Coordinates of all heavy atoms in Angstrom, one line a residue:
L1 N -24.2 36.8 -4.0 CA -23.6 37.7 -3.1 C -24.3 39.0 -2.9 O -24.6 39.5 -1.8 CB -22.1 37.9 -3.5 CG -21.3 38.9 -2.7 CD1 -21.2 38.4 -1.2 CD2 -19.9 39.1 -3.3
R2 N -24.7 39.6 -4.0 CA -25.3 40.9 -4.0 C -26.7 40.8 -3.3 O -27.1 41.7 -2.5 CB -25.5 41.5 -5.4 CG -24.1 42.0 -5.9 CD -24.2 43.0 -7.0 NE -22.9 43.3 -7.6 CZ -22.1 44.1 -7.0 NH1 -22.4 44.8 -6.0 NH2 -20.9 44.3 -7.6
R3 N -27.4 39.8 -3.6 CA -28.8 39.6 -3.0 C -28.6 39.4 -1.5 O -29.4 39.9 -0.7 CB -29.5 38.4 -3.6 CG -30.9 38.2 -3.0 CD -31.7 37.3 -3.9 NE -33.1 37.4 -3.3 CZ -33.8 36.3 -3.0 NH1 -33.3 35.1 -3.3 NH2 -35.0 36.4 -2.5
S4 N -27.6 38.6 -1.1 CA -27.4 38.3 0.3 C -27.0 39.6 1.0 O -27.4 39.9 2.2 CB -26.2 37.3 0.5 OG -26.6 36.1 -0.1
L5 N -26.2 40.5 0.4 CA -25.8 41.8 0.9 C -27.1 42.6 1.1 O -27.3 43.2 2.2 CB -24.8 42.5 0.0 CG -24.5 43.9 0.4 CD1 -23.8 44.0 1.8 CD2 -23.5 44.5 -0.7
E6 N -27.9 42.7 0.1 CA -29.1 43.5 0.3 C -30.0 43.0 1.4 O -30.5 43.8 2.2 CB -29.9 43.5 -1.1 CG -29.2 44.2 -2.2 CD -29.8 44.0 -3.5 OE1 -30.8 43.2 -3.6 OE2 -29.3 44.5 -4.5
E7 N -30.2 41.7 1.5 CA -31.0 41.2 2.6 C -30.4 41.4 3.9 O -31.1 41.8 4.9 CB -31.3 39.7 2.3 CG -32.3 39.5 1.2 CD -32.6 38.0 1.0 OE1 -32.3 37.2 1.9 OE2 -33.2 37.7 -0.1
A8 N -29.1 41.2 4.0 CA -28.4 41.5 5.3 C -28.6 42.9 5.8 O -28.8 43.2 6.9 CB -27.0 41.0 5.2
E9 N -28.4 43.8 4.8 CA -28.6 45.3 5.1 C -30.0 45.6 5.6 O -30.2 46.4 6.5 CB -28.1 46.1 4.0 CG -26.6 46.1 3.8 CD -26.1 46.9 2.6 OE1 -26.9 47.2 1.7 OE2 -24.9 47.2 2.6
M10 N -31.0 45.0 5.0 CA -32.4 45.2 5.4 C -32.6 44.7 6.8 O -33.1 45.3 7.7 CB -33.4 44.6 4.5 CG -33.6 45.4 3.2 SD -35.0 44.8 2.2 CE -34.8 43.1 2.1
L11 N -32.1 43.4 7.0 CA -32.3 42.8 8.4 C -31.5 43.5 9.5 O -31.9 43.4 10.6 CB -32.0 41.3 8.3 CG -32.9 40.4 7.5 CD1 -32.3 39.0 7.3 CD2 -34.3 40.3 8.2
A12 N -30.4 44.2 9.1 CA -29.6 44.9 10.1 C -30.4 46.0 10.8 O -30.1 46.4 11.9 CB -28.4 45.5 9.4
N13 N -31.6 46.4 10.2 CA -32.4 47.4 10.8 C -33.1 46.8 12.1 O -33.6 47.6 12.9 CB -33.4 47.9 9.8 CG -32.8 48.7 8.7 OD1 -31.9 49.5 9.0 ND2 -33.2 48.5 7.5
V14 N -33.2 45.5 12.2 CA -34.0 44.9 13.3 C -33.1 43.9 14.1 O -33.6 43.5 15.2 CB -35.3 44.2 12.8 CG1 -36.3 45.2 12.3 CG2 -35.0 43.1 11.7
E15 N -32.0 43.5 13.6 CA -31.1 42.5 14.4 C -29.7 42.9 14.2 O -29.3 43.4 13.2 CB -31.4 41.1 13.9 CG -32.8 40.6 14.1 CD -32.9 39.2 13.5 OE1 -32.0 38.4 13.6 OE2 -34.0 38.9 13.0
E16 N -28.8 42.5 15.2 CA -27.4 42.9 15.1 C -26.6 42.0 14.2 O -25.8 42.5 13.4 CB -26.8 42.8 16.6 CG -25.3 43.0 16.6 CD -24.7 42.8 17.9 OE1 -25.4 42.2 18.8 OE2 -23.5 43.1 18.1
D17 N -26.8 40.7 14.2 CA -26.0 39.8 13.4 C -26.0 40.1 11.9 O -25.0 40.0 11.3 CB -26.3 38.3 13.7 CG -25.8 37.8 15.0 OD1 -24.9 38.5 15.6 OD2 -26.2 36.8 15.5
P18 N -27.2 40.4 11.3 CA -27.1 40.7 9.9 C -26.3 41.9 9.6 O -25.8 42.1 8.5 CB -28.6 40.9 9.6 CG -29.4 40.1 10.6 CD -28.5 40.2 11.8
G19 N -26.2 42.9 10.6 CA -25.4 44.0 10.4 C -23.9 43.7 10.3 O -23.2 44.2 9.4
L20 N -23.5 42.7 11.1 CA -22.1 42.2 11.0 C -21.9 41.6 9.6 O -20.9 41.8 9.0 CB -21.8 41.2 12.1 CG -21.9 41.8 13.5 CD1 -21.7 40.6 14.5 CD2 -20.8 42.8 13.8
L21 N -22.9 40.7 9.2 CA -22.7 40.1 7.9 C -22.7 41.1 6.8 O -21.9 40.9 5.9 CB -23.9 39.1 7.8 CG -23.9 38.3 6.4 CD1 -22.6 37.5 6.3 CD2 -25.1 37.4 6.3
S22 N -23.5 42.1 6.9 CA -23.6 43.1 5.8 C -22.2 43.8 5.6 O -21.8 44.0 4.5 CB -24.7 44.1 5.9 OG -24.5 45.0 7.0
R23 N -21.6 44.1 6.7 CA -20.2 44.7 6.6 C -19.2 43.7 6.0 O -18.4 44.1 5.2 CB -19.8 45.1 8.0 CG -20.5 46.4 8.5 CD -19.9 47.1 9.7 NE -19.9 46.3 10.9 CZ -20.9 46.2 11.7 NH1 -22.0 46.8 11.4 NH2 -20.8 45.5 12.8
V24 N -19.3 42.5 6.3 CA -18.4 41.5 5.7 C -18.7 41.3 4.2 O -17.8 41.3 3.4 CB -18.6 40.1 6.4 CG1 -17.9 39.0 5.7 CG2 -18.1 40.2 7.9
L25 N -20.0 41.3 3.9 CA -20.3 41.1 2.5 C -19.9 42.4 1.7 O -19.5 42.3 0.6 CB -21.8 40.9 2.3 CG -22.3 39.5 2.8 CD1 -23.8 39.4 2.7 CD2 -21.6 38.4 2.1
R26 N -20.1 43.6 2.3 CA -19.7 44.8 1.6 C -18.2 44.8 1.3 O -17.8 45.2 0.3 CB -20.1 46.0 2.5 CG -19.8 47.4 2.0 CD -20.5 47.8 0.8 NE -22.0 47.9 1.0 CZ -22.8 47.9 0.0 NH1 -22.4 47.8 -1.3 NH2 -24.1 47.9 0.2
A27 N -17.4 44.3 2.3 CA -16.0 44.2 2.1 C -15.7 43.3 0.9 O -14.8 43.6 0.1 CB -15.3 43.8 3.4
A28 N -16.4 42.2 0.8 CA -16.2 41.3 -0.3 C -16.5 41.9 -1.6 O -15.8 41.7 -2.6 CB -17.0 40.0 -0.1
V29 N -17.6 42.7 -1.7 CA -18.0 43.3 -2.9 C -16.9 44.3 -3.3 O -16.5 44.4 -4.5 CB -19.4 44.0 -2.8 CG1 -19.7 44.9 -3.9 CG2 -20.5 42.9 -2.6
A30 N -16.5 45.1 -2.3 CA -15.4 46.1 -2.6 C -14.1 45.5 -3.1 O -13.5 46.0 -4.0 CB -15.1 46.9 -1.4
A31 N -13.8 44.3 -2.5 CA -12.6 43.6 -3.0 C -12.8 42.9 -4.3 O -11.8 42.6 -5.0 CB -12.1 42.7 -1.9
G32 N -14.0 42.5 -4.6 CA -14.3 41.8 -5.8 C -14.0 40.3 -5.8 O -13.9 39.7 -6.8
T33 N -13.7 39.8 -4.6 CA -13.3 38.4 -4.5 C -14.1 37.7 -3.4 O -14.3 38.3 -2.3 CB -11.8 38.2 -4.3 OG1 -11.5 38.7 -3.0 CG2 -11.0 38.9 -5.3
M34 N -14.3 36.4 -3.5 CA -14.9 35.6 -2.4 C -13.8 35.3 -1.4 O -14.1 35.0 -0.3 CB -15.6 34.4 -3.0 CG -16.8 34.7 -3.8 SD -18.0 35.7 -3.0 CE -18.6 34.5 -1.7
Q35 N -12.5 35.3 -1.8 CA -11.5 35.0 -0.9 C -11.5 36.1 0.2 O -11.3 35.8 1.4 CB -10.1 35.0 -1.6 CG -9.0 34.6 -0.6 CD -9.2 33.2 0.0 OE1 -9.6 32.3 -0.6 NE2 -9.0 33.1 1.3
Q36 N -11.7 37.3 -0.2 CA -11.8 38.4 0.8 C -12.9 38.1 1.8 O -12.8 38.3 3.0 CB -12.0 39.8 0.1 CG -12.2 40.9 1.1 CD -10.9 41.2 1.8 OE1 -9.8 41.0 1.3 NE2 -11.0 41.8 3.0
L37 N -14.0 37.6 1.3 CA -15.1 37.2 2.2 C -14.7 36.2 3.2 O -15.0 36.3 4.4 CB -16.3 36.7 1.4 CG -17.5 36.2 2.2 CD1 -18.1 37.3 3.0 CD2 -18.6 35.6 1.2

């Protein structure tokens, strides 16, 4: 999860979809559960 979040945030600098994914992953990290994801 954390590695996917880091990669999505980097890719968000050049593409829109990874930015959406990074926000979803960030919410999952904040919630601490994969169910939130």
